[in-house]
Amino acid sequence: MSRVNQPDTLVSVLREIQRRLRVLESTRRTTTFAAARAPAPVMAFQPARPQEWPGTGSAEWTPLVRLLTRPGEVLVVLDVVADSAGEARVLVDGEAVATVEVGRHEVTVTASAALTELVVEARRTGATGTVRVTAFALAG
């Protein structure tokens, strides 16, 4: 950069260009390294009000949400609400790996296939009412 009230010289312009190149190169290396370390997460909003979450009034297991994922560890965060009583479970490729009751729960699952299906099912365990579930998956 030039000094105040002095014209730029060829040397000062060259130094400024070199400085900018160093900044750009360091930023590019950091971004490339971070991108190589971890894949970009997929984010999506869910309804905030429980009355808008997927739900069931059936006493039989009913699939409510589904996710396809790649191999690795996945943390599934479940929020389960019910009018009277109910439960939810997480299935990995059709096999139940965890069953939870009303409340917030974290379930860690391992996806081993090239493409693994995670499904959250719910059922009513009380006499009447609806069980509603929202689920978030965080790749580890």
Side-chain angles (χ1 to χ4, degrees), residues 46-140:
Q46 297 267 347
R49 297 182 299 179
Q51 61 267 30
E52 294 177 354
W53 296 351
T56 183
S58 174
E60 301 297 319
W61 288 111
T62 306
L64 297 179
V65 292
R66 177 177 170 242
L67 169 76
L68 297 175
T69 186
R70 294 185 174 152
E73 196 169 82
V74 178
L75 176 66
V76 179
V77 180
L78 297 169
D79 281 318
V80 182
V81 296
D83 294 336
S84 58
E87 59 187 357
R89 70 180 180 182
V90 178
L91 285 82
V92 177
D93 287 332
E95 297 292 322
V97 294
T99 302
V100 297
E101 301 207 355
V102 172
R104 173 171 278 182
H105 305 277
E106 295 181 0
V107 177
T108 302
V109 298
T110 302
S112 55
L115 194 60
T116 301
E117 180 184 53
L118 303 179
V119 175
V120 177
E121 297 181 333
R123 70 178 177 181
R124 172 183 47 81
T125 56
T128 60
T130 303
V131 179
R132 296 189 182 282
V133 174
T134 188
F136 298 91
L138 307 170

